[in-house]
Amino acid sequence: MADRKRPRTSRLSARDWADAALDAIRDGGLAAVAVEPLAARLGTTKGSFYWHFSGRDALVTAALERWEERETEAVILEIGEAGTPGERLRRLFRITTAAAARESGPIELALLADAGHPAVAAAVRRVTGRRIAYLVDLFAEHGCPPAEARQRALLAYTGYLGHAQLARSVPGALPRDEEAADYVESVLRALLSGGRREP
Amino acid sequence: MADRKRPRTSRLSARDWADAALDAIRDGGLAAVAVEPLAARLGTTKGSFYWHFSGRDALVTAALERWEERETEAVILEIGEAGTPGERLRRLFRITTAAAARESGPIELALLADAGHPAVAAAVRRVTGRRIAYLVDLFAEHGCPPAEARQRALLAYTGYLGHAQLARSVPGALPRDEEAADYVESVLRALLSGGRREP
DNA sequence: CGACTTCCATACGCTGCCGTACGGTTTTTC
DNA sequence: GAAAAACCGTACGGCAGCGTATGGAAGTCG
């Protein structure tokens, strides 16, 4: 998030550019990663950019690396290990739906959109894999046999993605406030009921 | 999907341009709606375009109208009225997941991505509203009280969107063939079990 | 067949972005 | 504190796409 528009206190690093590029991706897609506009937003010029990077592609790559780095270190660990799988899932949903309701949405949304770019596709593939694997573990621990766990994990994740989509583009279609909490509970019921090994 | 590359038999109509624009949107997003490339793909030149349209925005608008037209007339009616709500939902899922697995995905995916454009946002809002309303009816008929019906409809639709997303960008994460059928059944179980008025 | 409308091709200028060249300024190092 | 390194500003050339202008070709109607 890196407060954009700091008054150019010191000089810039490659990381600053990568973060700015991520910001741009979030609310403009890959196409918004344009050197000159970014330079303007950072209060600098292309001269800076082409010193740190060989070109636009290098910036995109760096931004993707930075994204994977962040998402790896942050998101899943925030849930912690405490509680039953159901409770962890509840925490996860609360966090993600709240996040989706606030800002312009998670970055993967924008990235999924232009998965035409090979580097983007690869990064998205990796992150998606990690997340679904995490969810599969959760459902397995909840008592689902492997196949069922995988299916429920998939439904949970596709539901998350779709939710994020709607939050960004048709926010009016989603419940707010207490209704949102009810909705999360309803989804949890649907996801956790039945399908366990020993009922 | 409107066989592109017909050998320029006769002259072009505005609809031809709109369809070509929709094709472009499907696999390149709104940014791919560029007059000169489209002209090349249609085997004509800008001269034609600027006779039929006032400019790029007009083309985008026309394409969106065409999309709404198609999706209104086609998709929901294909399900028909026969069978229980559960069976209709099964048909719907079968159709949509199969469609997502084949081509480059439904157009709304690309459109959701750049919902920054006001006309796009409006069109997406309308279509989303219609679809969710349809699903709400389905769950209501299945026996869910209104609030529950709305929540399940939402989960179903967000699940659909996320599924389409993954199908386009991380197809490897989704089940195929018989597993896909199992998955649909699993999702149906999750969506239809419990939550009815009179259990 | 000729006038008249409809439709398309070509040529042009404009803008936004990429990438390069190079001189200048700041910071580091000794 | 001066040379070296790191960093940035500015000016340029190039390309792609938008939109305009204008001359024709292809259909239509008397």
Side-chain angles (χ1 to χ4, degrees):
Chain A
M1 203 71 0
D3 50 354
R4 64 196 78 172
K5 265 201 193 139
R6 84 195 81 182
R8 279 306 312 296
T9 158
S10 75
R11 306 165 102 163
L12 293 173
S13 72
R15 266 248 300 272
D16 293 322
W17 280 98
D19 283 334
L22 267 185
D23 268 21
I25 288 177
R26 189 198 333 277
D27 48 53
L30 200 57
V33 180
V35 178
E36 287 169 31
L38 280 183
R41 216 156 92 169
L42 286 171
T44 183
T45 66
K46 302 196 297 180
S48 168
F49 175 78
Y50 283 100
W51 195 90
H52 293 290
F53 293 92
S54 63
R56 204 195 93 120
D57 273 356
L59 175 60
V60 170
T61 304
L64 290 175
E65 277 169 8
R66 188 114 182 76
W67 172 54
E68 278 197 65
E69 190 184 315
R70 279 195 200 168
E71 98 77 34
T72 305
E73 81 199 7
V75 183
I76 288 179
L77 297 183
E78 191 175 337
I79 309 300
E81 304 275 337
T84 68
E87 285 161 355
R88 269 176 281 165
L89 204 57
R90 175 176 288 108
R91 278 203 296 280
L92 181 56
F93 279 20
R94 280 272 164 68
I95 293 175
T96 50
T97 57
R102 268 186 280 106
E103 7 189 350
S104 37
I107 292 172
E108 57 261 35
L109 263 194
L111 287 180
L112 283 165
D114 19 31
H117 193 293
V120 172
V124 165
R125 205 159 30 240
R126 284 191 295 271
V127 169
T128 302
R130 276 202 297 274
R131 291 183 176 174
I132 292 181
Y134 175 76
L135 288 170
V136 169
D137 284 353
L138 223 54
F139 282 101
E141 199 177 333
H142 175 255
C144 297
E148 187 74 24
R150 173 143 201 88
Q151 288 165 348
R152 303 220 165 187
L154 222 54
L155 178 56
Y157 192 62
T158 53
Y160 158 69
L161 281 183
H163 187 92
Q165 281 278 22
L166 285 189
R168 141 173 292 206
S169 53
V170 198
L174 295 175
R176 279 165 301 283
D177 307 324
E178 327 86 53
E179 275 191 75
D182 286 359
Y183 176 58
V184 169
E185 293 307 318
S186 165
V187 172
L188 282 172
R189 268 199 308 279
L191 285 174
L192 294 175
S193 72
R196 250 177 292 198
R197 216 182 319 252
E198 314 290 290
Chain B
M1 213 55 14
D3 48 356
R4 65 195 77 172
K5 269 211 190 127
R6 83 195 81 181
R8 279 306 314 292
T9 156
S10 75
R11 307 163 102 164
L12 292 174
S13 71
R15 267 247 301 271
D16 293 321
W17 281 97
D19 283 334
L22 267 184
D23 269 20
I25 287 176
R26 189 198 335 276
D27 47 51
L30 201 57
V33 180
V35 177
E36 287 169 34
L38 280 183
R41 214 157 94 173
L42 285 171
T44 183
T45 66
K46 303 195 296 180
S48 167
F49 174 77
Y50 283 99
W51 195 90
H52 293 291
F53 293 92
S54 63
R56 204 196 92 121
D57 273 356
L59 175 60
V60 171
T61 304
L64 290 175
E65 278 170 7
R66 187 115 183 75
W67 171 55
E68 278 197 64
E69 190 185 315
R70 280 194 199 167
E71 99 76 37
T72 305
E73 81 200 6
V75 184
I76 288 179
L77 297 181
E78 191 174 339
I79 309 300
E81 303 277 337
T84 68
E87 287 162 354
R88 269 176 281 166
L89 204 55
R90 175 176 287 108
R91 278 203 297 279
L92 181 55
F93 279 21
R94 280 272 163 68
I95 293 175
T96 50
T97 57
R102 269 186 279 107
E103 8 189 349
S104 39
I107 292 172
E108 58 262 37
L109 262 194
L111 287 179
L112 284 165
D114 21 31
H117 193 293
V120 171
V124 166
R125 205 158 30 238
R126 284 191 294 271
V127 169
T128 302
R130 277 201 296 275
R131 291 182 177 175
I132 292 182
Y134 175 76
L135 287 172
V136 169
D137 284 353
L138 223 54
F139 282 102
E141 199 177 335
H142 176 255
C144 296
E148 187 74 24
R150 173 143 201 88
Q151 288 165 349
R152 303 219 166 189
L154 222 52
L155 178 56
Y157 192 61
T158 54
Y160 158 69
L161 281 183
H163 187 92
Q165 282 277 23
L166 285 189
R168 142 173 293 209
S169 52
V170 198
L174 295 175
R176 279 165 302 281
D177 308 325
E178 327 86 52
E179 273 191 75
D182 286 358
Y183 176 60
V184 168
E185 294 307 318
S186 165
V187 171
L188 282 172
R189 269 200 307 279
L191 284 174
L192 293 174
S193 71
R196 252 179 287 200
R197 217 182 318 255
E198 315 289 291

